[in-house]
Amino acid sequence: MSENTNLLSVKNLKKYFPIKSGLLGGQKGAVKAVDGVSFDIPKGKTLGLVGESGCGKTTIGKTILRLHDKTEGEVVFDGVDIHSLSREELRKIRPRIQIIFQDPYSSLSPRMPIGEIIGEAVREHGIVPKEQFDDYITKIMRDCGLQEYHKDRYPHEFSGGQRQRICIARALALNPDFIVCDEPVSALDVSIQAQIINLLEDLQDKYNLTYLFISHDLSVVEHISDSVGVMYLGSLVEFAETDAIFGKPLHPYTQALFSAIPVPDPDIKMDRVILEGSIPSPANPPKGCKFHTRCRYAMDVCKVEPPRTIEVDPGHKVVCHLYDEEIMKNKENEK
């Protein structure tokens, strides 16, 4: 581990998907799925990434793992820029960076027994000697709440929660340092969600794992995350430690998002913030602040000038003109 306490540093990451046109397939534009995102995740911690569907959360996870090639920026894992590695160098580092997908069933081969699914990459990467292989797979399965006799069964013989345990075991078997959890509980029942979240937390404590936890379920993110990043249309609009951002959300989009969290008390009246309009296209985002078309506090400057990142409190960053003292001072002077 390098001297830097951050296991992962993402710097100005961009991922654009080209839009082709005509028979010759000339590029006529690009979908800006990830548009200049930066954050750090310390070793052994969890960053929760939240936002509406289509905001670029999953694309960030896949670009970090180099399942997508970046357009610009850096992804530095343990002091190494992942996108600068050769294929052979990437293969060596691959066991240390894993992913748990949203749909456990579609990410498991229906033709392979569970023991082989979990152990295939272990054998390929030589994680343990041959004579220790069976015992190692059994241990990993037990750590994930599976039994040894499950080895010879196939994915269709398991429930949704058990399948997700298999996916977690497959990732854990490679002895990773960092795991992207891409909405790992969104396809599960609420009671099963709690079991999987508790399992992920137990494994993090036992193996000192670092997570990027992608979700649209804010209650789950609040429970599992040490810090939270809020995404809108490919950009990070707010970033802070979990207690700070849930206790005092600053960005108008964050406030609207958090106001939708259900409270299990019928006597508490929620001050729900309803966003007007629809999400703009990432192929043609608005000029200025991307959120100004739906923001109830939008000013003239929001329509022409992109906001800069303001650190309102230590570690609590927001990308919004409302917290830019210079802009607000000019607005007061105009009055």
Side-chain angles (χ1 to χ4, degrees):
M1 182 70 197
S2 59
E3 290 181 10
N4 189 348
T5 55
N6 293 320
L7 181 67
L8 184 80
S9 292
V10 175
K11 302 174 184 176
N12 195 35
L13 184 64
K14 295 182 181 180
K15 175 57 185 174
Y16 297 170
F17 294 98
I19 300 172
K20 306 282 188 177
S21 67
L23 292 172
L24 299 177
Q27 185 172 337
K28 66 173 184 177
V31 174
K32 298 178 179 180
V34 180
D35 196 16
V37 170
S38 300
F39 57 78
D40 299 318
I41 311 180
K43 174 75 173 171
K45 300 294 184 181
T46 301
L47 166 62
L49 207 56
V50 302
E52 293 166 296
S53 295
C55 69
K57 306 186 297 293
T58 296
T59 304
I60 281 184
K62 289 183 176 180
T63 308
I64 286 171
L65 298 181
R66 209 169 137 179
L67 300 178
H68 292 318
D69 289 325
K70 67 175 184 179
T71 301
E72 272 185 41
E74 285 185 348
V75 178
V76 179
F77 171 75
D78 199 6
V80 178
D81 185 350
I82 286 179
H83 286 265
S84 70
L85 299 177
S86 67
R87 180 172 291 190
E88 187 57 36
E89 290 169 331
L90 182 63
R91 187 181 182 280
K92 289 177 182 175
I93 207 172
R94 185 63 81 189
R96 298 181 63 196
I97 51 174
Q98 291 296 304
I99 186 168
I100 301 165
F101 292 101
Q102 178 176 354
D103 182 359
Y105 193 59
S106 65
S107 64
L108 298 173
S109 171
R111 294 182 177 86
M112 292 172 68
I114 298 312
E116 189 59 30
I117 286 174
I118 296 170
E120 183 182 27
V122 173
R123 193 182 288 114
E124 178 69 23
H125 287 279
I127 302 296
V128 292
K130 282 184 180 179
E131 61 273 15
Q132 298 176 20
F133 179 82
D134 281 339
D135 290 340
Y136 179 74
I137 299 303
T138 301
K139 175 184 176 297
I140 293 294
M141 290 177 68
R142 285 181 174 154
D143 282 348
C144 295
L146 299 164
Q147 300 303 316
E148 185 174 7
Y149 65 81
H150 287 147
K151 280 183 182 178
D152 298 324
R153 295 187 179 180
Y154 290 81
H156 72 271
E157 299 179 67
F158 293 87
S159 68
Q162 287 175 313
R163 287 177 197 146
Q164 197 58 285
R165 289 176 184 271
I166 294 163
C167 293
I168 293 169
R170 179 176 58 184
L172 186 68
L174 289 168
N175 194 23
D177 295 300
F178 173 70
I179 300 178
V180 173
C181 304
D182 185 12
E183 305 208 29
V185 297
S186 65
L188 306 176
D189 293 338
V190 174
S191 59
I192 307 300
Q193 286 185 8
Q195 294 175 22
I196 297 299
I197 292 299
N198 290 336
L199 172 62
L200 289 170
E201 290 186 317
D202 290 345
L203 293 174
Q204 184 173 41
D205 291 340
K206 185 172 183 177
Y207 292 99
N208 197 26
L209 298 171
T210 305
Y211 293 148
L212 174 63
F213 192 90
I214 297 166
S215 181
H216 59 260
D217 189 327
L218 296 164
S219 300
V220 169
V221 167
E222 183 178 14
H223 178 74
I224 197 172
S225 304
D226 297 292
S227 56
V228 176
V230 180
M231 283 194 68
Y232 181 78
L233 213 63
S235 300
L236 209 58
V237 296
E238 189 166 356
F239 184 93
E241 290 188 359
T242 304
D243 290 345
I245 200 167
F246 277 89
K248 186 184 175 185
L250 299 177
H251 197 281
Y253 176 65
T254 311
Q255 293 168 0
L257 210 59
F258 286 13
S259 75
I261 302 174
V263 176
D265 187 340
D267 297 325
I268 295 179
K269 191 174 186 307
M270 295 296 295
D271 183 19
R272 184 73 193 273
V273 179
I274 305 296
L275 294 178
E276 301 293 333
S278 56
I279 306 174
S281 167
N284 186 26
K287 290 187 172 69
C289 174
K290 293 180 180 179
F291 186 60
H292 85 259
T293 58
R294 305 173 75 195
C295 181
R296 54 182 175 164
Y297 305 114
M299 304 174 285
D300 289 340
V301 68
C302 302
K303 300 173 184 176
V304 291
E305 190 175 322
R308 61 192 181 95
T309 302
I310 310 290
E311 190 163 12
V312 177
D313 294 311
H316 195 157
K317 299 176 182 178
V318 62
V319 183
C320 181
H321 287 311
L322 291 172
Y323 303 92
D324 192 322
E325 292 180 3
E326 188 177 324
I327 288 202
M328 296 310 291
K329 191 175 180 182
N330 291 338
K331 193 170 186 291
E332 285 295 318
N333 291 337
E334 287 172 7
K335 291 179 180 177

